[in-house]
Amino acid sequence: MPDSLIVDVRSALDRLAAEEDTDGDRRITIDDRPTGERGRGDEEFLLRLIDGEEIEVRRTYHLSNLLQELRAAQLEGWDTAVVAAGRVFEPPTARISRLIRERYWDALTRRVDAEHIEAVLRDEKIGLDGIPYLYVPYTDTTALRHFEKAAHSEGIPAFRLARLPRVITPEYVESLRGRHGLLTLGLERASSGEMVGIPFVVPGGRFNEMYGWDSYFEAVGLLEDGRVDLARAMVDNFVYQLRHYGKILNANRTYYLTRSQPPFLTSMALAVYDHLGGGDTARVWLAGVLEAAIAEYETVWTGPERLDSTTGLSRYFGQGMGQPPEVEPGHFDPTYAAFGAVYGIRPRALEELYAAARLPDSIQAELDEFFRNDRCMRESGHDTTYRWDVDGSRCTDFVTVDLNSLLYKIELDIARTVEREWADRLELSTGRVVSSSEWYERARRRRASIRRYLWDSNRSLFFDYSVRTGQRREYVAATTFYPLWASGAEDPALWLLSRAETERLVEVALRLLEMPGGLVSSTEASRGPLSSERPARQWDYPNGWAPHQMLAWRGLLNLGFVNPAQRLAYRWLYTITRNAVDYNGTIPEKYDVVARSHAVFGEYGNVGTEFEYLTPEGFGWMNASFQVGLSLLTSAQRRHLDRLDPPERLRWATGRDRVAAVP
């Protein structure tokens, strides 16, 4: 077979689709069944070259690769194109990894500036009637001038520019209904002298803005691919948010102004710093990030709304009024039905009366409380889950394993970095001196509280703790692995568990949460039965998510559990690869890890599964998990993955044995 296949693009694409895309969805997948006629979904196609030679292409995977390559050439405007045979017959892991590295990161990159305003104003989560809004923080006069000029420039799509008030309140955010819009991020001066937006990566699909915790995992993937400048830029945008919005936002839209997301800033910054090569410039940059992280820690996560004084631990909160505007229509139908049944009001009428604040005060207050807890859940990133819905307790009642593990990691990060980089004393721009000893002490206090309130020594698992009932919520979730990640490998005296406790947790947690396709978000027993009144939630069984996998892998590796980490990574990457091979390169937001399937359509559906011909971008943290997971596998394991050998066909060493999997 020749290395280069010269083809008439339109003719080849039309014939291929007509013969192999039997269900007409503009993709070639294992769902395209033979119609009984040769050349109709039979996984065999004769590709006719310009010189008249015919090349036989077999199997769904290779046919879908050919479809993608032809479509890419068509989108680039080619009538006749040279298709590399190596791309059509490329091994699956090499193809997925290359597309992420060469195409998907760039496709997901955005900037908020005059030149790129059209791409970032689009928001599929909330209806925009007429001209979209762009909001500038009160304290950023540079951005105000930049976008005032842009608003009057030819060739730039029309937008309404507004300046936020100095103080943001839930009442102000509620007043923006019908006028919500994009929030600006950082600007920098380019070599040309023009102000340009500091770049960032979005998750993809309908998520077309910079998200709080998604960005950490995306940055880790970027660093794996050598995109250090882009990962650093994302850190800079987080620092911008802290300086101008007072928190790292759930995402940079106005309806997110009153809530944050899980805090990863120090982890993200230190990962970038490790790739900067040292030197005074890098240390000055890091000092600025640490100052912002300290402000976030003290004003957001240990501020009066989120710190529980009894336990010394923190909770998610999330302010706001009324129903979150970004949620899809119909999502709260079961909620209004349940409240309506209690109060004898038809669900739709109840929703309308609540939105208009025309319900009796007691009912209005009860719904306000429900939506306050709903926002808390969304701040956690685990939106949505039944993890905190029990015996009258809801999200705001719980100090959680994940959040307090993240804060413990922040305390250790600051302590260790100040000790290592500044000989125990870092002077901030305010003149305040930060010592490593004070942050080690904070970490020790939190460690004691985590062990007292969140660690169940009988079940050898971590659970969230309700400050309302004074009891742990025995909901088995993948967040039980967070403390392993947070402890790090440096100092066993600061691990959240002893060696024996850690080994027992790993044994128990893997037995309960390891599924054919990776870690599941929760056990089925913890999730409980489903019904029309109690529909499936996407952060519960049987679904698995990239952040849980990546944190568990690193936590296990930190403490020497090499083979469990590789086994989990292989299961997850097998799921990604199997679905990409069978479904035209699909890389979605999440998976059903019990069935190893991307067919997850409850609640919000599955972003990244709807496309024609080729996926343009994958999905942010899924891309990252593939690149990071691939780096953890041995060369033998990667060969098994390319052959799509299921993990159950491999013999895996157990426990902490460092022997790799063998065929």
Side-chain angles (χ1 to χ4, degrees):
M1 177 182 296
D3 292 336
S4 299
L5 311 175
I6 305 175
V7 298
D8 179 288
V9 174
R10 177 178 290 278
S11 173
L13 188 60
D14 288 349
R15 280 188 56 242
L16 179 61
E19 293 184 19
E20 301 298 333
D21 177 21
T22 62
D23 59 8
D25 65 354
R26 295 183 173 85
R27 287 177 281 182
I28 296 175
T29 74
I30 60 171
D31 293 337
D32 289 303
R33 301 302 183 188
T35 63
E37 178 184 346
R38 177 168 174 76
R40 298 291 295 177
D42 60 0
E43 295 192 288
E44 296 180 11
F45 177 74
L46 292 177
L47 176 64
R48 193 170 299 126
L49 307 186
I50 289 292
D51 63 7
E53 183 181 359
E54 291 184 330
I55 303 295
E56 187 174 53
V57 181
R58 293 174 173 266
R59 296 176 54 200
T60 295
Y61 170 62
H62 297 140
L63 292 168
S64 72
N65 288 350
L66 177 59
L67 183 79
Q68 294 167 55
E69 295 300 319
L70 290 171
R71 178 60 171 171
Q74 186 181 59
L75 291 174
E76 291 175 9
W78 295 103
D79 295 323
T80 301
V82 178
V83 176
R87 295 288 174 87
V88 176
F89 300 101
E90 194 170 16
T93 61
R95 181 174 181 82
I96 296 169
S97 183
R98 178 182 59 78
L99 288 173
I100 292 169
R101 184 174 59 255
E102 296 180 0
R103 183 183 299 168
Y104 297 167
W105 290 133
D106 288 338
L108 292 169
T109 299
R110 305 284 188 274
R111 296 175 187 263
V112 182
D113 59 22
E115 181 181 352
H116 301 92
I117 195 70
E118 184 174 15
V120 290
L121 284 176
R122 174 179 57 82
D123 185 3
E124 296 179 14
K125 295 178 299 306
I126 190 165
L128 293 173
D129 296 329
I131 301 174
Y133 283 84
L134 176 68
Y135 289 83
V136 177
Y138 184 87
T139 48
D140 190 354
T141 55
T142 299
L144 184 64
R145 290 193 298 270
H146 176 80
F147 290 106
E148 282 177 339
K149 179 180 178 181
H152 297 92
S153 299
E154 288 188 20
I156 294 179
F159 65 92
R160 292 186 176 96
L161 181 65
R163 189 180 189 185
L164 294 173
R166 185 185 294 275
V167 178
I168 304 295
T169 64
E171 290 77 12
Y172 170 75
V173 176
E174 174 67 11
S175 75
L176 295 178
R177 285 186 181 268
R179 297 183 292 118
H180 281 296
L182 182 74
L183 299 168
T184 63
L185 294 175
L187 293 166
E188 60 186 357
R189 194 168 298 282
S191 57
S192 64
E194 293 292 316
M195 297 301 294
V196 298
I198 297 175
F200 56 95
V201 170
V202 303
R206 67 193 186 100
F207 302 109
N208 191 42
E209 51 275 308
M210 185 180 187
Y211 277 80
W213 72 321
D214 292 67
S215 294
Y216 167 69
F217 300 99
E218 291 159 356
V220 173
L222 289 168
L223 292 172
E224 187 65 40
D225 282 339
R227 303 292 297 272
V228 179
D229 288 348
L230 184 51
R232 174 175 171 167
M234 294 174 74
V235 174
D236 292 339
N237 272 315
F238 275 168
V239 173
Y240 176 93
Q241 291 185 36
L242 284 166
R243 289 174 178 166
H244 294 286
Y245 299 116
K247 60 177 69 68
I248 291 175
L249 302 170
N250 188 147
N252 60 310
R253 302 279 179 187
T254 49
Y255 44 79
Y256 294 134
L257 275 166
T258 57
R259 68 177 186 256
S260 186
Q261 272 206 319
F264 283 92
L265 180 56
T266 58
S267 297
M268 192 169 166
L270 289 171
V272 171
Y273 183 70
D274 286 343
H275 286 75
L276 294 180
D280 291 341
T281 300
R283 288 176 75 250
V284 169
W285 174 82
L286 181 60
V289 179
L290 289 187
E291 182 163 1
I294 290 168
E296 179 191 29
Y297 175 94
E298 294 178 344
T299 62
V300 178
W301 299 111
T302 60
E305 292 172 340
R306 293 174 176 81
L307 179 65
D308 174 61
S309 58
T310 301
T311 61
L313 298 173
S314 295
R315 64 175 179 170
Y316 294 111
F317 191 67
Q319 292 180 309
M321 300 176 65
Q323 179 178 312
E326 80 280 7
V327 176
E328 293 177 338
H331 177 78
F332 291 112
D333 284 356
T335 299
Y336 289 115
F339 276 91
V342 171
Y343 293 110
I345 306 173
R346 288 182 296 106
R348 191 60 59 212
L350 180 66
E351 183 176 6
E352 292 171 358
L353 290 168
Y354 176 66
R358 291 169 51 200
L359 288 168
D361 290 348
S362 60
I363 304 177
Q364 194 81 20
E366 194 172 352
L367 280 165
D368 283 343
E369 180 64 17
F370 172 85
F371 286 116
R372 185 176 302 113
N373 280 279
D374 182 83
R375 281 183 169 84
C376 168
M377 179 165 50
R378 295 178 193 283
E379 181 170 87
S380 78
H382 294 78
D383 51 328
T384 63
T385 172
Y386 289 114
R387 186 170 139 206
W388 300 299
D389 190 5
V390 59
D391 299 331
S393 292
R394 291 180 179 148
C395 181
T396 56
D397 294 321
F398 286 92
V399 290
T400 69
V401 175
D402 45 336
L403 176 57
N404 285 284
S405 296
L406 296 177
L407 295 176
Y408 184 65
K409 174 72 157 51
I410 288 170
E411 290 159 349
L412 290 180
D413 283 346
I414 295 171
R416 289 165 173 164
T417 305
V418 170
E419 181 179 45
R420 181 183 67 246
E421 300 291 336
W422 289 280
D424 295 333
R425 290 170 60 83
L426 170 63
E427 184 173 351
L428 306 181
S429 64
T430 59
R432 172 185 170 183
V433 175
V434 174
S435 68
S436 59
S437 59
E438 67 179 283
W439 286 91
Y440 277 126
E441 180 56 32
R442 292 186 188 196
R444 291 187 186 97
R445 288 198 300 267
R446 190 175 301 274
R447 179 184 185 276
S449 293
I450 289 174
R451 289 187 58 84
R452 178 178 178 183
Y453 294 104
L454 307 182
W455 170 242
D456 187 323
S457 58
N458 293 321
R459 296 196 62 183
S460 294
L461 293 168
F462 283 99
F463 296 115
D464 303 326
Y465 178 86
S466 171
V467 297
R468 189 183 68 82
T469 66
Q471 295 180 329
R472 297 186 194 96
R473 163 73 157 131
E474 294 191 2
Y475 191 98
V476 180
T479 50
T480 199
F481 284 99
Y482 276 54
L484 305 189
W485 173 82
S487 294
E490 291 93 338
D491 184 358
L494 290 170
W495 291 353
L496 283 162
L497 297 177
S498 69
R499 171 60 65 188
E501 290 170 330
T502 300
E503 291 179 355
R504 180 61 179 153
L505 179 146
V506 171
E507 176 189 350
V508 172
L510 290 178
R511 174 164 43 84
L512 294 171
L513 295 166
E514 184 176 359
M515 296 294 157
L519 279 181
V520 70
S521 295
S522 74
T523 62
E524 185 176 17
S526 290
R527 182 205 66 189
L530 302 177
S531 66
S532 58
E533 292 77 28
R534 195 174 187 271
R537 297 304 190 199
Q538 64 175 354
W539 282 89
D540 294 332
Y541 180 96
N543 298 333
W545 292 80
H548 288 167
Q549 318 301 317
M550 294 172 72
L551 293 179
W553 302 339
R554 179 47 53 193
L556 290 165
L557 290 171
N558 281 347
L559 303 180
F561 295 87
V562 177
N563 277 281
Q566 289 182 324
R567 187 176 70 241
L568 288 175
Y570 189 96
R571 289 186 184 279
W572 182 250
L573 267 63
Y574 177 84
T575 303
I576 296 174
T577 307
R578 178 85 267 175
N579 280 265
V581 164
D582 289 346
Y583 287 94
N584 209 106
T586 293
I587 298 182
E589 177 189 24
K590 56 185 175 286
Y591 291 102
D592 174 339
V593 293
V594 178
R596 291 197 290 228
S597 172
H598 70 278
V600 182
F601 299 112
E603 200 164 26
Y604 298 109
N606 200 359
V607 178
T609 58
E610 299 297 326
F611 59 89
E612 295 181 353
Y613 297 108
L614 73 168
T615 174
E617 58 195 17
F619 193 85
W621 60 24
M622 195 66 73
N623 299 342
S625 72
F626 192 85
Q627 302 298 70
V628 171
L630 207 58
S631 75
L632 303 182
L633 301 184
T634 66
S635 57
Q637 290 164 355
R638 291 180 66 158
R639 288 194 296 272
H640 285 297
L641 190 58
D642 270 326
R643 293 199 298 263
L644 288 174
D645 293 330
E648 53 268 25
R649 291 187 187 172
L650 278 65
R651 286 192 291 114
W652 296 93
T654 58
R656 298 178 59 245
D657 192 333
R658 293 177 179 271
V659 178
V662 294

